[in-house]
Amino acid sequence: MREDLVTTNASLWLSYDFNSKEEVTVLKCKICKQFEKTIQTNRDFSDAWTKGTTNFRLSNPKDHAASRCHEHAYQLYVRDLKSRGKGVSEIHERIFKPDSSQNTILNSFSNLSQSQIEQLAKKFEIAYFVAKNDLPLTTYEKLISLEKHHGVDLGTDVYANRKQCGEFIDQHGDYIASQLKSDLEKVNFYSVLTDGSTDSSITEKEVVYVLHFDPYNTEKEEVEVKLSFLYLKDVKKGDAPGIKNAIEQSFEKLGIMPTELYSKLIGFGADGASVNSGDKNGVKKLLEEQAPWLIYTWCVAHKLELVLKHALWKTQFQKVDNMLLRLYYLYHQSPKKLSELKSLHDIIKETFEFEEGALKPKRACGTRWISFKLNALRLVLDKFGVYMQHLEHIASDKSCRDREKMQGYLRQWKTCHNLLYVAVFIDILTPASILSKAFQDEGVDSVSVVHCLKRSQESLDKMQKKPFEELPSVKYLLKKITVTETLHVYQGVEFTTASFQKALADVKNAKNTLISAVHNTVETRLENASSVQLDATATVLNTELWKTNVAADEVEFADERVSELFEQFQPVMLKQGLSEDITVSEIIEEWHDVVTYTLNFLKPDQSAYKKTWKWLFNCSLSSRWKNILMLISVLFSVPVCNAKLERMFSHLKRTKTDTRCALSEQRLTNLLRIVEEGPPFGSFDVKPVIKLWTGERVRRPNQKQRKKYKQRAKKVKYYHETVQIESTDNDSNNTEDIGPHTDLSDKDGTDMEDSDDADDFESNARWWIENFEADSDSDTDFEGYHE
């Protein structure tokens, strides 16, 4: 109970009257009502608290609790208790030392009835819907009106505007952030992932995510590696110190200070930009100064794109990629050409069978994901004849300004080599595209990375051994070609038999060279994506292969790798409770015990590795393996990919548009947090959010809207001025102050109306008043005025 608001226990004297909706309508004082006849003789007595007051301002009960009438009633109340045998000390304690379980006046106003909570819950849900679907805040007011039109009880019009919608969204975001803070306080280790971009207001942004491992989630059967959105921070300068400060400030917004941050931080994930990966002045170096054990991981999805670009550098793929780019912009920038292309397609689509539904060339450049290039290649192979025939039509049109350019495109693109290379690159990039999509998955870790990498390499090995004509896309192409003695025809495009056979031989010889270049580059460069060996981490974590590994090398199959990992992470493990007396041999002994127990009782080869680890972390023997399980927690917290951060910037473009570029940093973060981390609409319980909202300050959901002030009456101003009156006694001029109540007579008693001077004065004064009233807003300065 707050002493600055009340001086007594409110539950002794404060009573309420409710209406049918369980809303408080009247406040009364029980003690003043009981002794009303006695205290009404007081000078400041008022029957407002005996009959009931509708003034719900906090100052009203506060003033009543400190009034003389209320104190007089308390004295009578104490005497009455004494007369019934109650002790004075008990009375004093009961009155002035309230029970903590009883409500105070503040709580009496802040607590809401059930009907009010239901009404507010509907408004909170509408605000959540607006944020979750990236709608403008003004939509909130329209949805409120629509719900009322449908007969939904939303209470009064309080909290029904766009400003309140923003406040509700902030409460939703703060609640989700509080849940993330609770999760981070429970874990011993986590990693941070960052990426930068520029928004619609030309402000440099740094998005910060946190990766943590949760083996104790009761809602899932497997251990969970969570990658959670932390904050979207404005960066004054996108250099290494600026990004490091953005990371620290993002955690501070959550209530985690740098000391706690660096005691749990074990990894940093980002793209390969020098500002992140620099060994001298990069973010990695600055973080390593605070956490020497830090692991830096170059995002495997980003690195895969660069690996393929390097592998196919200075090959025929550059010409094919250039064709995809030119073809896209040819139709993207010309509605007329696209319309002609559609008309041509409608004519010949009955003659040729097309697999792809799209017609307009797809964009393959300007994006880093392989799947976009693969989709563009498939579309070109499927509609090759349509594109080439339309280019021939444009090139033959003498009125076309781009005629020579189209002729040049035809010479480069309408070749047997170009067509066959399109088919070959589709087959080569298909395993890489599958690998890229696997790397972009939210739950990717070192085990899945190594597994997908091996599958991709196996696919490339099989492709090398497979005959050229048996490659899927090449086989599809050759099947669609009509062969005559002198011509090979594909979708109406004719090639001479000799030129096609020569191109077929050339591309067939280049197939294995291209596949080997991709295979070798991926194998050598992706293994070094992280400062910790991903293969070593996967060997320890992947319980599905333990049986095979033990059969080959017995239980010591991973001893060397466990020793190296423990020595690397021992400093941070010591900060989280690892005993300083623990040696490498004791860690190895615990490791052997875990492997033996798992193989004997859990059948790990028949269950997913995450499910097996969930059982090991939660079984009764986990305390016996606490040191090795702490190391396992570190390995699960190693960052691998930050493709999810790229998707966040897509959300940012949809949320902060050109018409919403004034969103504050905190509001924008809360909107993105709801979109990214908020549960699906309909499965979100808003009652904890309402509780958080009502706990901040006193809320009045039933407060009526303020009435508009009445227009004030205009003030009537009476001005006076100083006039000069000539004296008849001497030659000097005397001045007198003439106002509305001035006695217009001479000092010698002569009436001014009887003199010529009086007539002149009256005419001058009358002229001045008429002119002043005609222009009441004049800026003329006068000596004073009377109201």
Side-chain angles (χ1 to χ4, degrees), residues 14 24-28 48-49 52-63 109 700:
L14 190 60
V24 178
T25 57
V26 174
L27 300 178
K28 295 181 180 180
W49 280 89
T53 178
T54 57
N55 183 354
F56 297 105
R57 293 183 178 274
L58 287 177
S59 58
N60 189 30
K62 173 185 173 182
D63 295 341
F109 284 100
R700 299 185 179 91

PDB file of all heavy atoms in Angstrom, residues 14 24-28 48-49 52-63 109 700:
ATOM      1  N   LEU A  14     -13.477   1.405   2.177  1.00  0.00           N
ATOM      2  CA  LEU A  14     -13.848   1.642   0.788  1.00  0.00           C
ATOM      3  C   LEU A  14     -14.785   0.547   0.294  1.00  0.00           C
ATOM      4  O   LEU A  14     -14.496  -0.649   0.422  1.00  0.00           O
ATOM      5  CB  LEU A  14     -12.588   1.671  -0.084  1.00  0.00           C
ATOM      6  CG  LEU A  14     -12.775   2.131  -1.534  1.00  0.00           C
ATOM      7  CD1 LEU A  14     -13.333   3.536  -1.593  1.00  0.00           C
ATOM      8  CD2 LEU A  14     -11.453   2.051  -2.283  1.00  0.00           C
ATOM      9  N   VAL A  24     -17.541  -0.722 -11.809  1.00  0.00           N
ATOM     10  CA  VAL A  24     -17.719   0.120 -10.623  1.00  0.00           C
ATOM     11  C   VAL A  24     -18.432   1.405 -11.042  1.00  0.00           C
ATOM     12  O   VAL A  24     -17.988   2.115 -11.950  1.00  0.00           O
ATOM     13  CB  VAL A  24     -16.357   0.441  -9.991  1.00  0.00           C
ATOM     14  CG1 VAL A  24     -16.539   1.369  -8.792  1.00  0.00           C
ATOM     15  CG2 VAL A  24     -15.661  -0.836  -9.554  1.00  0.00           C
ATOM     16  N   THR A  25     -19.526   1.684 -10.363  1.00  0.00           N
ATOM     17  CA  THR A  25     -20.302   2.883 -10.689  1.00  0.00           C
ATOM     18  C   THR A  25     -20.250   3.932  -9.595  1.00  0.00           C
ATOM     19  O   THR A  25     -20.327   5.127  -9.870  1.00  0.00           O
ATOM     20  CB  THR A  25     -21.769   2.502 -10.939  1.00  0.00           C
ATOM     21  OG1 THR A  25     -22.291   1.834  -9.774  1.00  0.00           O
ATOM     22  CG2 THR A  25     -21.888   1.570 -12.143  1.00  0.00           C
ATOM     23  N   VAL A  26     -20.126   3.517  -8.310  1.00  0.00           N
ATOM     24  CA  VAL A  26     -20.161   4.446  -7.174  1.00  0.00           C
ATOM     25  C   VAL A  26     -19.152   3.985  -6.144  1.00  0.00           C
ATOM     26  O   VAL A  26     -18.984   2.785  -5.901  1.00  0.00           O
ATOM     27  CB  VAL A  26     -21.573   4.499  -6.543  1.00  0.00           C
ATOM     28  CG1 VAL A  26     -21.558   5.360  -5.287  1.00  0.00           C
ATOM     29  CG2 VAL A  26     -22.585   5.058  -7.527  1.00  0.00           C
ATOM     30  N   LEU A  27     -18.460   4.938  -5.520  1.00  0.00           N
ATOM     31  CA  LEU A  27     -17.554   4.681  -4.400  1.00  0.00           C
ATOM     32  C   LEU A  27     -18.160   5.242  -3.123  1.00  0.00           C
ATOM     33  O   LEU A  27     -18.724   6.341  -3.143  1.00  0.00           O
ATOM     34  CB  LEU A  27     -16.188   5.324  -4.660  1.00  0.00           C
ATOM     35  CG  LEU A  27     -15.409   4.860  -5.892  1.00  0.00           C
ATOM     36  CD1 LEU A  27     -14.106   5.644  -6.002  1.00  0.00           C
ATOM     37  CD2 LEU A  27     -15.128   3.379  -5.828  1.00  0.00           C
ATOM     38  N   LYS A  28     -18.028   4.496  -2.019  1.00  0.00           N
ATOM     39  CA  LYS A  28     -18.567   4.937  -0.730  1.00  0.00           C
ATOM     40  C   LYS A  28     -17.569   4.640   0.374  1.00  0.00           C
ATOM     41  O   LYS A  28     -16.706   3.779   0.235  1.00  0.00           O
ATOM     42  CB  LYS A  28     -19.887   4.216  -0.416  1.00  0.00           C
ATOM     43  CG  LYS A  28     -21.032   4.545  -1.361  1.00  0.00           C
ATOM     44  CD  LYS A  28     -22.290   3.795  -0.953  1.00  0.00           C
ATOM     45  CE  LYS A  28     -23.444   4.105  -1.894  1.00  0.00           C
ATOM     46  NZ  LYS A  28     -24.687   3.382  -1.520  1.00  0.00           N
ATOM     47  N   ALA A  48     -20.924  13.330  -0.057  1.00  0.00           N
ATOM     48  CA  ALA A  48     -20.524  12.671  -1.310  1.00  0.00           C
ATOM     49  C   ALA A  48     -20.081  11.232  -1.052  1.00  0.00           C
ATOM     50  O   ALA A  48     -20.383  10.333  -1.841  1.00  0.00           O
ATOM     51  CB  ALA A  48     -19.402  13.461  -1.982  1.00  0.00           C
ATOM     52  N   TRP A  49     -19.364  10.997   0.062  1.00  0.00           N
ATOM     53  CA  TRP A  49     -18.843   9.662   0.333  1.00  0.00           C
ATOM     54  C   TRP A  49     -19.812   8.807   1.149  1.00  0.00           C
ATOM     55  O   TRP A  49     -19.552   7.615   1.339  1.00  0.00           O
ATOM     56  CB  TRP A  49     -17.492   9.749   1.052  1.00  0.00           C
ATOM     57  CG  TRP A  49     -16.376  10.031   0.093  1.00  0.00           C
ATOM     58  CD1 TRP A  49     -15.925  11.233  -0.297  1.00  0.00           C
ATOM     59  CD2 TRP A  49     -15.618   9.058  -0.611  1.00  0.00           C
ATOM     60  NE1 TRP A  49     -14.918  11.111  -1.200  1.00  0.00           N
ATOM     61  CE2 TRP A  49     -14.693   9.752  -1.414  1.00  0.00           C
ATOM     62  CE3 TRP A  49     -15.594   7.671  -0.649  1.00  0.00           C
ATOM     63  CZ2 TRP A  49     -13.781   9.130  -2.232  1.00  0.00           C
ATOM     64  CZ3 TRP A  49     -14.681   7.033  -1.470  1.00  0.00           C
ATOM     65  CH2 TRP A  49     -13.792   7.755  -2.258  1.00  0.00           C
ATOM     66  N   GLY A  52     -22.472   8.282  -1.999  1.00  0.00           N
ATOM     67  CA  GLY A  52     -21.781   7.668  -3.141  1.00  0.00           C
ATOM     68  C   GLY A  52     -21.255   8.707  -4.092  1.00  0.00           C
ATOM     69  O   GLY A  52     -21.984   9.618  -4.485  1.00  0.00           O
ATOM     70  N   THR A  53     -19.980   8.575  -4.475  1.00  0.00           N
ATOM     71  CA  THR A  53     -19.344   9.520  -5.387  1.00  0.00           C
ATOM     72  C   THR A  53     -19.026   8.833  -6.695  1.00  0.00           C
ATOM     73  O   THR A  53     -18.685   7.637  -6.729  1.00  0.00           O
ATOM     74  CB  THR A  53     -18.059  10.110  -4.777  1.00  0.00           C
ATOM     75  OG1 THR A  53     -17.453  10.991  -5.743  1.00  0.00           O
ATOM     76  CG2 THR A  53     -17.068   9.027  -4.402  1.00  0.00           C
ATOM     77  N   THR A  54     -19.164   9.576  -7.762  1.00  0.00           N
ATOM     78  CA  THR A  54     -18.825   9.058  -9.096  1.00  0.00           C
ATOM     79  C   THR A  54     -17.527   9.656  -9.630  1.00  0.00           C
ATOM     80  O   THR A  54     -17.203   9.498 -10.806  1.00  0.00           O
ATOM     81  CB  THR A  54     -19.963   9.380 -10.082  1.00  0.00           C
ATOM     82  OG1 THR A  54     -20.197  10.787 -10.105  1.00  0.00           O
ATOM     83  CG2 THR A  54     -21.241   8.651  -9.690  1.00  0.00           C
ATOM     84  N   ASN A  55     -16.820  10.346  -8.759  1.00  0.00           N
ATOM     85  CA  ASN A  55     -15.526  10.905  -9.137  1.00  0.00           C
ATOM     86  C   ASN A  55     -14.460   9.829  -8.913  1.00  0.00           C
ATOM     87  O   ASN A  55     -14.138   9.501  -7.773  1.00  0.00           O
ATOM     88  CB  ASN A  55     -15.243  12.151  -8.293  1.00  0.00           C
ATOM     89  CG  ASN A  55     -13.939  12.832  -8.699  1.00  0.00           C
ATOM     90  OD1 ASN A  55     -13.190  12.320  -9.538  1.00  0.00           O
ATOM     91  ND2 ASN A  55     -13.666  13.974  -8.098  1.00  0.00           N
ATOM     92  N   PHE A  56     -13.909   9.275  -9.981  1.00  0.00           N
ATOM     93  CA  PHE A  56     -12.979   8.156  -9.873  1.00  0.00           C
ATOM     94  C   PHE A  56     -11.524   8.595  -9.977  1.00  0.00           C
ATOM     95  O   PHE A  56     -10.646   7.758 -10.179  1.00  0.00           O
ATOM     96  CB  PHE A  56     -13.271   7.123 -10.967  1.00  0.00           C
ATOM     97  CG  PHE A  56     -14.628   6.500 -10.841  1.00  0.00           C
ATOM     98  CD1 PHE A  56     -15.647   6.856 -11.695  1.00  0.00           C
ATOM     99  CD2 PHE A  56     -14.896   5.562  -9.853  1.00  0.00           C
ATOM    100  CE1 PHE A  56     -16.902   6.289 -11.589  1.00  0.00           C
ATOM    101  CE2 PHE A  56     -16.146   4.993  -9.736  1.00  0.00           C
ATOM    102  CZ  PHE A  56     -17.159   5.349 -10.596  1.00  0.00           C
ATOM    103  N   ARG A  57     -11.268   9.862  -9.834  1.00  0.00           N
ATOM    104  CA  ARG A  57      -9.877  10.312  -9.826  1.00  0.00           C
ATOM    105  C   ARG A  57      -9.195   9.858  -8.547  1.00  0.00           C
ATOM    106  O   ARG A  57      -9.801   9.826  -7.480  1.00  0.00           O
ATOM    107  CB  ARG A  57      -9.797  11.831  -9.951  1.00  0.00           C
ATOM    108  CG  ARG A  57     -10.258  12.365 -11.298  1.00  0.00           C
ATOM    109  CD  ARG A  57     -10.075  13.859 -11.381  1.00  0.00           C
ATOM    110  NE  ARG A  57     -10.469  14.381 -12.674  1.00  0.00           N
ATOM    111  CZ  ARG A  57      -9.676  14.434 -13.734  1.00  0.00           C
ATOM    112  NH1 ARG A  57      -8.426  14.014 -13.619  1.00  0.00           N
ATOM    113  NH2 ARG A  57     -10.097  14.906 -14.897  1.00  0.00           N
ATOM    114  N   LEU A  58      -7.914   9.524  -8.640  1.00  0.00           N
ATOM    115  CA  LEU A  58      -7.180   9.049  -7.466  1.00  0.00           C
ATOM    116  C   LEU A  58      -7.090  10.122  -6.384  1.00  0.00           C
ATOM    117  O   LEU A  58      -7.014   9.807  -5.194  1.00  0.00           O
ATOM    118  CB  LEU A  58      -5.771   8.609  -7.879  1.00  0.00           C
ATOM    119  CG  LEU A  58      -5.683   7.294  -8.662  1.00  0.00           C
ATOM    120  CD1 LEU A  58      -4.246   7.033  -9.066  1.00  0.00           C
ATOM    121  CD2 LEU A  58      -6.224   6.137  -7.847  1.00  0.00           C
ATOM    122  N   SER A  59      -7.100  11.377  -6.790  1.00  0.00           N
ATOM    123  CA  SER A  59      -7.012  12.444  -5.797  1.00  0.00           C
ATOM    124  C   SER A  59      -8.254  12.499  -4.908  1.00  0.00           C
ATOM    125  O   SER A  59      -8.174  12.966  -3.772  1.00  0.00           O
ATOM    126  CB  SER A  59      -6.822  13.794  -6.512  1.00  0.00           C
ATOM    127  OG  SER A  59      -7.899  14.041  -7.408  1.00  0.00           O
ATOM    128  N   ASN A  60      -9.380  12.007  -5.394  1.00  0.00           N
ATOM    129  CA  ASN A  60     -10.614  12.067  -4.606  1.00  0.00           C
ATOM    130  C   ASN A  60     -10.541  11.181  -3.367  1.00  0.00           C
ATOM    131  O   ASN A  60     -10.741  11.662  -2.243  1.00  0.00           O
ATOM    132  CB  ASN A  60     -11.807  11.709  -5.499  1.00  0.00           C
ATOM    133  CG  ASN A  60     -13.129  11.963  -4.803  1.00  0.00           C
ATOM    134  OD1 ASN A  60     -13.256  12.849  -3.953  1.00  0.00           O
ATOM    135  ND2 ASN A  60     -14.133  11.174  -5.160  1.00  0.00           N
ATOM    136  N   PRO A  61     -10.267   9.873  -3.466  1.00  0.00           N
ATOM    137  CA  PRO A  61     -10.125   9.072  -2.236  1.00  0.00           C
ATOM    138  C   PRO A  61      -8.922   9.476  -1.387  1.00  0.00           C
ATOM    139  O   PRO A  61      -8.947   9.338  -0.171  1.00  0.00           O
ATOM    140  CB  PRO A  61      -9.993   7.647  -2.758  1.00  0.00           C
ATOM    141  CG  PRO A  61      -9.554   7.779  -4.158  1.00  0.00           C
ATOM    142  CD  PRO A  61     -10.163   9.034  -4.665  1.00  0.00           C
ATOM    143  N   LYS A  62      -7.895   9.981  -2.055  1.00  0.00           N
ATOM    144  CA  LYS A  62      -6.734  10.440  -1.289  1.00  0.00           C
ATOM    145  C   LYS A  62      -7.110  11.616  -0.383  1.00  0.00           C
ATOM    146  O   LYS A  62      -6.778  11.631   0.813  1.00  0.00           O
ATOM    147  CB  LYS A  62      -5.621  10.858  -2.259  1.00  0.00           C
ATOM    148  CG  LYS A  62      -4.426  11.516  -1.596  1.00  0.00           C
ATOM    149  CD  LYS A  62      -3.445  11.990  -2.661  1.00  0.00           C
ATOM    150  CE  LYS A  62      -2.333  12.808  -2.025  1.00  0.00           C
ATOM    151  NZ  LYS A  62      -1.383  13.318  -3.018  1.00  0.00           N
ATOM    152  N   ASP A  63      -7.832  12.580  -0.957  1.00  0.00           N
ATOM    153  CA  ASP A  63      -8.267  13.733  -0.157  1.00  0.00           C
ATOM    154  C   ASP A  63      -9.244  13.321   0.942  1.00  0.00           C
ATOM    155  O   ASP A  63      -9.200  13.838   2.062  1.00  0.00           O
ATOM    156  CB  ASP A  63      -8.898  14.794  -1.058  1.00  0.00           C
ATOM    157  CG  ASP A  63      -7.910  15.405  -2.030  1.00  0.00           C
ATOM    158  OD1 ASP A  63      -6.696  15.288  -1.771  1.00  0.00           O
ATOM    159  OD2 ASP A  63      -8.345  15.969  -3.054  1.00  0.00           O
ATOM    160  N   PHE A 109      -8.445   0.886  -8.197  1.00  0.00           N
ATOM    161  CA  PHE A 109      -8.699   1.533  -9.482  1.00  0.00           C
ATOM    162  C   PHE A 109      -8.041   0.776 -10.628  1.00  0.00           C
ATOM    163  O   PHE A 109      -8.567   0.749 -11.729  1.00  0.00           O
ATOM    164  CB  PHE A 109      -8.177   2.969  -9.473  1.00  0.00           C
ATOM    165  CG  PHE A 109      -9.067   3.903  -8.710  1.00  0.00           C
ATOM    166  CD1 PHE A 109      -8.762   4.270  -7.419  1.00  0.00           C
ATOM    167  CD2 PHE A 109     -10.218   4.389  -9.290  1.00  0.00           C
ATOM    168  CE1 PHE A 109      -9.582   5.125  -6.727  1.00  0.00           C
ATOM    169  CE2 PHE A 109     -11.040   5.256  -8.589  1.00  0.00           C
ATOM    170  CZ  PHE A 109     -10.728   5.633  -7.306  1.00  0.00           C
ATOM    171  N   ARG A 700      -7.980   3.606 -17.072  1.00  0.00           N
ATOM    172  CA  ARG A 700      -9.410   3.881 -16.907  1.00  0.00           C
ATOM    173  C   ARG A 700     -10.126   3.536 -18.213  1.00  0.00           C
ATOM    174  O   ARG A 700     -10.388   4.400 -19.048  1.00  0.00           O
ATOM    175  CB  ARG A 700      -9.638   5.352 -16.547  1.00  0.00           C
ATOM    176  CG  ARG A 700      -8.989   5.777 -15.240  1.00  0.00           C
ATOM    177  CD  ARG A 700      -9.363   7.208 -14.899  1.00  0.00           C
ATOM    178  NE  ARG A 700      -8.769   7.621 -13.652  1.00  0.00           N
ATOM    179  CZ  ARG A 700      -7.578   8.212 -13.551  1.00  0.00           C
ATOM    180  NH1 ARG A 700      -6.874   8.426 -14.626  1.00  0.00           N
ATOM    181  NH2 ARG A 700      -7.104   8.552 -12.379  1.00  0.00           N
TER     182      ARG A 700
END
